[in-house]
């Protein structure tokens, strides 16, 4: 008989604005298991975990850890009870190093008891890092770390504080499949000792299948079911979550590409340290097609996206949208050429979290004639009408258009981004990790929207670390490896996942002639 | 009842309660210090309304605060914590106003035009003050853009230099030997802003201030620039990604705020002083921050928050002048009251309970249906 290590009984949480995020939610977790917490965006998963971690105080219910009822008022107390949390959005100080972030609040002091002992910090970091086989460079500043490294730091931060119950809120949302696999091996190792227990939140149901022992489903703030993972299929789980069947397979006609919209010519980009991130890259995207970009993170995807969107300058080569070079153009000028962009970093670039839903949706278009009155002032009536329509069309769950975006759940924040970027009538859309951290229902919605836009004759450039997504949504695929295009697959439907993996890891490589086919006129 | 209504009700309760608490705290302090605490308290609370003169003093304080409040409001919204409005407030009149004093020959003709001459002169000096303010106001932002120095630091340094410049102007250039004061020659009659209430220095400057509050409101909530400024203030990375020029917006807002503060300075001295005699920081720039924050960064509430601060100051002065409560204590008490007013979290627990109960009721009602 498994021993219950954590019981959250009839938890109710009402937010300051009156929103009931959890209502009589019950979660029971056994010692040594990996327990999945699943549910749509806004179902209340993060909220429930915040209650457990002492960030939010519940209005009702009790928490039992190791058979003892406890009151958790703040994260420090949570850590004393052995609860550690890895947040959905990173909680790190960008200007400090990895080691400094790791020991924040428990810094080792030097003998004099005044100065910080940097060497000890680094040693401590290396020690846990080795122990759990999550390798990070302790001396790197967080702001210079890749997303993966940041994710590892988050997990290590919890472990170094002695967490026995580890909450992982969508830890894989930002990882590549290989890294995810690697992480899963580590997580399984971690619970194998029977001491550690993991609560795992993810929208990727195949991960839940691969990793977890049992699961609890939340829907609209209530716990609506639990199951042994072995007894249910992915389809069962999504039905429990959404209340209907979800079809992630996209049913789409073959693409009918027309003229070229985006053309990247001999693009070479060096990063701030002079390292070559993209080396003489050539490709084009045509109207009516979705070109997927696959590749292990750090092979220039980020730089490519930044260059096309005007957030980064480039010295060599050229990028043309509708035959106009974007060199030296401002972000607005590029957008006006018919470009729109879902940024991979939702909270930094995708939204202003303290601004209202309305202002976030209007941010790229408020200055246009149709939103101004005769006197050149903002036409709030018209703006409100349009915003309301978009909220409805893109299924954004929000009380009103004036709600701050930070009050929304992660997935609904992404829907705000999508509502803005898909509705500006672009010729080319750069979708950089468009469904990262988004539930199955919303993922289905966004992917179908991408295909619908393609069918309307728009060009789509899809960058995604989710192999499944690249294979499923794209018409053609390019693979970035070693900062170059390693392969061009004209018909994505003929590609198998393992083959794609081989190109990504550099095991296989196409010839220059084969790759050159990606340039159309 | 909606949550908005609950929130509004608690906001009102909070305001009343924080004033009440502050008054009680003050009373306790006065109790220890004064021989006649009741009298002192009466002067503090009712004092400002006991004579036209004192009431006028409140309005006199409100006049300049409205414009510096607008300036600070704009700055804070755009995420720019520059203190330069104080400098603009000081420098603009120092460069504008003396023109009439020095060149009486040229401008003297305005005197013959009567009211019309006054309107021309005051309008001209508002425009000049605005331009000077705009230039000075944008300097910290320009420096930030060129060399990356923080606006807070450059603006404080600039303010210090401007104070010295004003001092030098007043004592060396504009100095009126005949008067024996460290001040300029008196402003000619046609150059002054019309006084409204006899015996006080309340002038039409108050209307200018009110108009600018409304203008600021329009800018912030109804213009493209205001929209840009708000987004830049909340998340510059996002603003950039959406196509907003962060640097340009910052510069425009700083210029605009500088202009408002400059205009504030010009109109204040023309309505309040007989001669130009500013040789130290006026404090109006920094009070602008307080007034702006108290107004929750809503320009339309600035008149109320400025009035509140003016009332407090006058009450304290009245008490200081008429009782044995030392003047120093006044500063302490004003700060205390200001702190109470800024205490956002007062009653947050009770408010949360009300909202939770409300949510539960709504939930129950939904289920019944
Ligand atoms: N501070 C807050 N104030 C008010 N409402 C909030 C707040 N934080 C979250 N919410 C609301 O509570 C609901 C649940 O949010 P939560 O973050 O727990 O969802 P989630 O299940 O983690 O979703 P996701 O998968 O998108 O991360 C959402 O509808 C959200 O809008
Ligand atoms: Mg969440």
């Amino acid at each position: 008989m498994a021993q219950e290590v954590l019981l959250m009984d009839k938890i109710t949480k009402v937010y300051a604005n009156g929103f009931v995020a959890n209502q009589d939610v019950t979660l029971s977790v056994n010692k040594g298991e990996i327990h999945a917490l699943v549910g749509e965006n806004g179902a209340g998963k993060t909220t429930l975990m915040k209650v457990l971690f002492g960030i939010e105080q519940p209005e009702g219910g009790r928490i039992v850890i190791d058979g003892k009822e406890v009151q958790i008022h703040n994260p420090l107390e949570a850590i004393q009870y052995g609860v550690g949390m890895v947040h959905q959005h990173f909680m790190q100080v960008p200007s400090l190093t990895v080691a400094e972030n790791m020991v924040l609040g428990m810094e080792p002091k030097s003998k004099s008891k005044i100065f910080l002992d940097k060497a000890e910090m680094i040693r401590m970091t290396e020690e846990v890092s080795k122990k759990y086989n999550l390798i990070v460079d302790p001396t790197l500043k967080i702001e210079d770390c890749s997303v993966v490294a940041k994710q590892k730091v988050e997990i290590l931060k919890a472990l170094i504080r002695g967490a026995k119950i580890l909450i992982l809120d969508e830890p894989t949302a930002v990882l590549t499949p290989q890294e995810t696999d690697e992480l899963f091996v580590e997580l399984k190792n971690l619970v194998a000792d029977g001491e550690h227990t993991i609560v795992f939140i993810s929208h990727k149901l195949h991960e839940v299948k691969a990793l977890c022992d049992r699961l609890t489903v939340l829907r609209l703030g209530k716990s609506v079911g639990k199951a042994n993972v072995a007894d249910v299929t992915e389809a069962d789980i999504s039905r429990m979550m959404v209340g209907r069947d979800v079809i992630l397979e996209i049913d789409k006609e073959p693409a009918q590409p027309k003229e070229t919209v985006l053309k990247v010519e001999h693009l070479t980009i060096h990063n701030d340290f002079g390292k070559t991130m993209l080396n003489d890259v050539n490709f084009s995207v045509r109207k009516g097609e979705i070109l997927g970009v696959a590749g292990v993170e750090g092979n220039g995807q980020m730089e490519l996206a930044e260059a096309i969107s005007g957030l980064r300058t480039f010295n060599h080569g050229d990028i043309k949208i509708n035959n106009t070079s974007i060199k030296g153009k401002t972000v607005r000028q590029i957008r006006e050429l018919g470009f729109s962009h879902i940024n991979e970093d939702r909270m930094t670039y995708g939204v202003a979290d303290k601004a209202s839903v309305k202002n976030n949706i209007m941010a790229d278009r408020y200055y246009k004639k149709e939103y101004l009155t005769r006197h050149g002032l903002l036409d709030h009536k018209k703006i409100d009408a349009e915003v309301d329509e978009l909220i409805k069309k893109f299924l954004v769950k929000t009380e009103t258009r004036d709600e701050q975006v930070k009050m929304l759940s992660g997935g609904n924040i992404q829907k705000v981004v999508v509502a803005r970027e898909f509705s500006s009538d672009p010729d080319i859309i750069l979708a950089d990790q468009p469904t990262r951290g988004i539930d199955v229902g919303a993922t289905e919605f966004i992917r179908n929207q991408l295909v619908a836009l393609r069918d309307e004759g728009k060009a789509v450039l899809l960058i995604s670390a989710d192999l499944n997504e690249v294979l499923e949504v794209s018409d053609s695929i390019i693979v970035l490896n070693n900062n170059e295009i390693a392969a061009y697959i004209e018909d994505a439907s003929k590609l198998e996942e393992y083959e794609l993996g081989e190109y990504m890891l550099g095991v296989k490589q196409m010839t220059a002639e084969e790759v050159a086919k990606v340039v159309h006129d | 009842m909606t949550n908005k209504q609950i929130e509004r009700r608690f906001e009102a309760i909070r305001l009343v309660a924080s004033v009440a608490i502050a008054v009680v705290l003050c009373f306790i302090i006065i109790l220890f210090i004064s021989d006649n605490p009741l009298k002192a308290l009466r002067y503090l609370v009712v004092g400002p309304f006991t004579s036209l003169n004192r009431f006028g003093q409140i309005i006199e304080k409100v006049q300049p605060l409205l414009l510096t409040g607008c300036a600070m409001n704009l700055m804070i919204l755009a995420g720019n914590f520059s203190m330069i409005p104080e400098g603009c407030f000081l420098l603009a009149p120092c460069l504008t106003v003396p023109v009439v004093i020095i060149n009486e020959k040229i401008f003297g003709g305005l005197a013959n035009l009567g009211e019309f001459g006054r309107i021309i002169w005051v309008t001209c000096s508002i425009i000049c003050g605005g331009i000077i303010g705009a230039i000075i106001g944008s300097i910290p932002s320009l420096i930030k853009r060129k060399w990356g120095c923080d606006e807070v630091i450059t603006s404080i340094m600039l303010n210090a230099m401007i104070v010295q410049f004003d001092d030098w102007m007043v004592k060396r250039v504009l100095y009126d030997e005949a008067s024996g004061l460290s001040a300029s020659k008196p402003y000619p009659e046609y150059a002054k802003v019309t006084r409204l209430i006899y015996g006080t220095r309340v002038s039409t400057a108050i209307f200018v201030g009110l108009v600018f509050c409304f203008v600021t409101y329009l800018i912030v909530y109804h213009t493209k620039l205001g929209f840009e400024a708000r987004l830049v203030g909340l998340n510059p990375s996002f603003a950039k990604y959406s196509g907003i020029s962060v640097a340009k917006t910052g510069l425009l807002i700083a210029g605009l705020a500088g202009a408002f503060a400059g205009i504030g300075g010009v109109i204040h001295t023309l309505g309040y002083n007989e001669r130009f005699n500013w040789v130290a920081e006026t404090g109006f720039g920094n009070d602008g921050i307080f007034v702006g924050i108290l107004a929750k960064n809503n320009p339309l509430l600035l008149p109320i928050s400025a009035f509140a601060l003016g009332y407090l100051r006058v009450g304290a002065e009245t008490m200081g002048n008429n009782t044995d409560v030392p003047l120093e204590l006044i500063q302490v008490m004003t700060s205390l009251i200001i702190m109470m007013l800024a205490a956002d979290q007062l009653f947050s627990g009770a408010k949360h309970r009300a909202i939770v109960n409300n949510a539960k009721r709504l939930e129950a009602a939904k289920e019944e249906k």
Side-chain angles (χ1 to χ4, degrees):
Chain A
M1 179 60 212
Q3 182 195 349
E4 189 176 63
V5 64
L6 167 71
L7 172 67
M8 298 183 78
D9 188 26
K10 294 220 163 58
I11 299 288
T12 296
K13 170 69 207 169
V14 184
Y15 275 115
N17 61 357
F19 187 88
V20 187
N22 283 163
Q23 198 181 354
D24 293 334
V25 171
T26 298
L27 170 71
S28 153
V29 180
N30 290 339
K31 195 159 189 159
E33 76 169 339
I34 303 183
H35 193 104
L37 188 59
V38 294
E40 284 187 285
N41 293 129
K45 306 178 294 292
T46 300
T47 303
L48 186 66
M49 291 302 107
K50 282 184 175 164
V51 167
L52 176 58
F53 196 52
I55 298 175
E56 298 288 354
Q57 297 307 309
E59 270 63 51
R62 48 191 199 110
I63 301 175
V64 181
I65 291 179
D66 275 332
K68 276 196 295 284
E69 185 167 339
V70 295
Q71 303 285 335
I72 303 179
H73 299 102
N74 56 53
L76 283 179
E77 289 182 24
I79 291 162
Q80 276 162 21
Y81 292 118
V83 177
M85 179 158 180
V86 173
H87 294 275
Q88 187 168 4
H89 303 295
F90 297 131
M91 307 259 181
Q92 292 160 346
V93 187
S95 55
L96 296 184
T97 65
V98 168
E100 285 165 331
N101 267 282
M102 290 283 296
V103 299
L104 218 56
M106 46 179 277
E107 301 89 347
K109 300 273 166 64
S110 64
K111 283 207 197 80
S112 62
K113 302 253 189 258
I114 298 174
F115 300 109
L116 299 178
D117 188 344
K118 294 229 159 139
E120 174 65 8
M121 278 182 197
I122 292 174
R123 197 196 59 71
M124 286 165 68
T125 305
E126 275 171 350
E127 188 184 272
V128 280
S129 163
K130 284 225 186 68
K131 180 167 169 198
Y132 297 107
N133 201 14
L134 293 161
I135 304 304
V136 290
D137 178 355
T139 57
L140 214 57
K141 278 195 181 161
I142 289 290
E143 58 197 358
D144 300 326
C145 282
S146 67
V147 217
V148 188
K150 287 185 196 166
Q151 184 66 64
K152 288 186 189 165
V153 172
E154 278 292 307
I155 297 177
L156 288 170
K157 258 168 67 185
L159 290 172
I160 201 173
R161 284 166 176 72
K164 291 282 179 274
I165 301 174
L166 195 59
I167 305 163
L168 302 179
D169 196 352
E170 300 190 31
T172 59
V174 292
L175 302 187
T176 61
Q178 284 84 348
E179 288 160 331
T180 303
D181 289 346
E182 202 180 301
L183 177 69
F184 283 4
V185 173
E186 303 314 327
L187 294 181
K188 280 183 176 155
N189 272 341
L190 195 63
V191 293
D193 63 2
E195 284 301 312
H196 290 87
T197 306
I198 294 175
V199 179
F200 179 83
I201 302 180
S202 175
H203 289 295
K204 298 180 190 159
L205 300 181
H206 62 97
E207 294 181 356
V208 171
K209 282 293 284 180
L211 182 72
C212 302
D213 304 306
R214 294 194 309 151
L215 63 86
T216 297
V217 182
L218 294 190
R219 190 193 319 160
L220 301 176
K222 299 185 185 134
S223 38
V224 293
K226 50 185 182 179
N228 282 321
V229 170
D231 303 341
V232 288
T233 65
E234 282 180 41
D236 295 334
I237 306 176
S238 24
R239 201 172 314 112
M240 278 173 26
M241 279 166 50
V242 190
R244 67 175 166 91
D245 286 319
V246 179
I247 305 137
L248 274 186
E249 265 99 85
I250 291 177
D251 182 26
K252 62 174 187 186
E253 304 287 314
Q256 286 166 347
K258 304 211 175 59
E259 66 269 30
T260 298
V261 183
L262 174 74
K263 202 158 188 194
V264 173
E265 295 169 342
H266 303 290
L267 184 66
T268 300
I269 298 178
H270 306 290
N271 71 5
D272 301 338
F273 308 110
K275 190 170 168 234
T276 306
M277 295 313 290
L278 277 182
N279 187 14
D280 194 25
V281 165
N282 295 283
F283 69 88
S284 60
V285 191
R286 292 165 294 176
K287 283 192 172 169
E289 80 170 339
I290 302 178
L291 180 69
V293 180
V296 176
E297 186 140 355
N299 271 291
Q301 294 94 323
M302 192 172 95
E303 288 75 14
L304 179 65
E306 285 177 351
I308 298 177
S309 56
L311 293 172
R312 168 189 284 273
T313 54
F314 51 92
N315 303 326
H316 310 287
D318 202 359
I319 299 172
K320 287 182 182 148
I321 293 175
N322 283 328
N323 277 326
T324 311
S325 166
I326 66 162
K327 203 168 213 164
K329 289 218 176 350
T330 63
V331 174
R332 173 158 302 163
Q333 286 166 336
I334 294 173
R335 279 180 176 272
E336 287 193 333
L337 290 175
F339 173 77
S340 88
H341 173 205
I342 301 177
N343 194 287
E344 65 160 335
D345 192 341
R346 187 154 63 224
M347 299 317 285
T348 309
Y349 290 101
V351 293
D353 64 345
K354 290 196 225 49
S356 62
V357 170
K358 166 177 159 180
N359 288 353
N360 271 285
I361 289 183
M362 293 311 294
D364 69 329
R365 65 195 66 165
Y366 65 93
Y367 66 93
K368 292 193 173 147
K369 258 217 191 82
E370 61 250 53
Y371 304 109
L372 300 179
T373 62
R374 271 182 301 136
H375 315 293
L377 298 179
L378 298 176
D379 188 346
H380 282 291
K381 229 193 219 153
K382 186 128 183 249
I383 290 173
D384 287 348
E386 164 141 350
V387 168
D388 284 343
E389 201 178 295
L390 288 175
I391 287 176
K392 226 158 90 208
K393 180 168 171 211
F394 287 90
L395 315 172
V396 182
K397 246 185 253 161
T398 172
E399 300 255 297
T400 69
R401 59 176 114 80
D402 296 317
E403 189 91 271
Q404 285 189 335
V405 160
K406 70 169 181 196
M407 301 289 185
L408 307 189
S409 72
N412 277 299
I413 293 177
Q414 184 73 337
K415 286 192 203 162
V416 171
V417 177
V418 168
R420 179 182 62 234
E421 299 302 326
F422 284 9
S423 61
S424 62
D425 192 28
D427 289 329
I428 166 112
I429 297 160
L430 168 59
D432 195 357
Q433 321 294 353
T435 62
R436 184 177 269 178
I438 293 203
D439 69 43
V440 278
T443 298
E444 176 192 28
F445 176 76
I446 289 177
R447 289 184 185 167
N448 281 326
Q449 286 283 325
L450 278 173
V451 173
L453 287 169
R454 176 202 80 167
D455 292 340
E456 278 172 35
K458 320 246 181 232
V460 178
L461 181 64
L462 169 72
I463 302 179
S464 179
D466 183 343
L467 280 196
N468 229 334
E469 175 160 279
V470 176
L471 283 166
E472 198 62 53
V473 180
S474 316
D475 299 313
S476 322
I477 295 177
I478 55 176
V479 183
L480 286 179
N481 182 43
N482 234 340
N483 312 308
E484 292 177 358
I485 298 182
Y488 169 56
I489 297 98
E490 191 153 11
D491 186 354
S493 62
K494 296 219 176 74
L495 187 68
E496 294 294 328
E497 198 169 336
Y498 74 84
E499 198 185 344
L500 182 55
E502 284 179 337
Y503 285 123
M504 284 169 66
L505 296 171
V507 181
K508 236 169 132 183
Q509 164 102 30
M510 281 187 180
T511 62
E513 290 85 68
E514 284 174 301
V515 170
K517 287 203 201 113
V518 67
V519 180
H520 308 268
D521 296 308
Chain B
M1 192 166 29
T2 66
N3 289 323
K4 275 258 147 55
Q5 283 168 319
I6 297 183
E7 257 166 44
R8 227 173 285 142
R9 195 200 301 162
F10 270 93
E11 191 62 31
I13 297 178
R14 189 180 69 85
L15 211 64
V16 173
S18 56
V19 172
I21 294 174
V23 168
V24 169
L25 282 175
C26 288
F27 185 67
I28 293 173
I29 297 178
I30 293 173
L31 216 54
F32 281 107
I33 291 178
S34 176
D35 295 333
N36 194 344
L38 271 180
K39 181 174 157 219
L41 193 68
R42 203 182 62 235
Y43 273 114
L44 176 67
V45 179
V46 198
F49 298 112
T50 47
S51 77
L52 191 61
N53 185 297
R54 288 188 191 132
F55 185 74
Q57 283 175 23
I58 300 182
I59 306 299
E60 287 162 20
K61 292 199 160 54
V62 171
Q63 289 170 168
L65 276 179
L66 288 180
L67 277 151
T68 53
C70 287
M72 281 303 182
N73 215 325
L74 284 170
M75 289 279 197
I76 293 171
L77 269 178
N80 176 346
F81 294 93
S82 160
M83 315 286 270
I84 199 66
E86 173 74 39
C88 301
F89 190 87
L90 273 169
L91 189 63
C94 178
L95 292 180
T96 314
V97 173
V99 173
V100 267
I101 304 168
I102 297 174
N103 290 316
E104 231 161 316
K105 280 196 206 84
I106 307 173
F107 293 94
L110 287 172
N112 305 328
L113 295 174
E115 263 326 280
F116 188 60
R118 185 198 309 281
I119 291 173
I120 293 181
W121 165 250
V122 173
T123 314
C124 285
S125 41
I126 285 183
I127 292 172
C128 294
I131 293 172
I132 295 167
I135 294 170
I136 301 300
S138 33
I139 289 178
S141 301
L142 280 173
I143 293 182
K144 162 116 183 224
R145 209 172 141 190
K146 265 238 139 31
W147 297 303
C149 311
D150 194 86
E151 281 129 329
V152 179
I153 296 169
T154 34
S155 60
I156 292 173
M157 296 301 136
L158 264 174
N159 286 353
M161 297 195 312
I162 288 170
V163 170
Q164 294 311 319
F165 178 80
D166 273 33
D167 188 65
W168 175 79
M169 279 290 279
V170 168
K171 288 184 183 155
R172 293 291 150 93
V173 181
L174 304 173
Y175 181 58
D176 179 18
E177 277 168 37
S179 76
L181 306 164
S182 60
S184 71
K185 277 195 257 176
Y187 300 143
E189 205 40 51
Y190 66 83
K192 289 187 195 166
V193 173
T194 317
R195 297 261 168 95
L196 288 176
I197 305 176
Y198 182 74
T200 71
R201 296 194 255 190
V202 175
S203 67
T204 38
I206 186 80
F207 298 124
V208 177
L210 290 173
V211 167
F212 271 94
C213 287
F214 185 68
V215 169
T216 308
Y217 161 78
L218 274 186
I219 291 174
V220 170
Y221 292 104
H222 292 276
T223 66
K224 294 185 273 186
L225 179 64
F227 187 89
E228 286 159 3
R230 281 183 287 151
L231 284 189
V232 168
L234 290 174
N235 181 351
S237 303
F238 169 68
K240 185 175 168 202
Y241 149 96
S242 326
I244 295 168
S245 167
V246 176
K248 195 172 122 201
T249 308
L251 205 59
L252 279 174
I253 289 293
L256 207 56
F260 285 11
I263 292 170
V266 168
I267 200 115
H268 182 57
T269 188
L270 291 180
Y272 187 82
N273 301 113
E274 305 301 329
R275 308 157 176 266
F276 188 72
N277 62 351
W278 296 359
V279 292
E281 291 219 355
T282 62
F284 287 121
N286 301 347
D287 281 347
I289 300 179
F290 167 73
V291 171
I293 290 175
L294 189 62
K296 302 249 145 165
N297 256 323
N298 179 351
L300 289 183
L301 296 180
L302 277 176
I304 300 175
S305 65
F307 187 86
L309 185 64
Y311 163 72
L312 263 177
R313 292 261 154 87
V314 174
E317 278 165 20
T318 316
M319 179 175 70
N321 292 336
N322 292 290
T323 67
D324 56 350
V325 178
L327 270 162
E328 286 76 16
L329 187 72
I330 294 159
Q331 198 58 41
V332 175
M333 288 176 34
T334 326
S335 309
L336 201 64
I337 295 179
I338 290 171
M339 246 155 63
M340 282 315 295
L341 285 176
D344 244 341
Q345 293 298 312
L346 202 64
F347 296 124
S348 61
K351 178 166 109 189
H352 187 62
R353 274 192 296 281
I355 285 181
V356 169
N357 289 337
N358 191 43
K360 284 194 180 140
R361 234 196 35 240
L362 289 179
E363 201 69 29
K366 225 190 298 171
E367 245 142 62
E368 251 164 54
K369 255 195 253 159

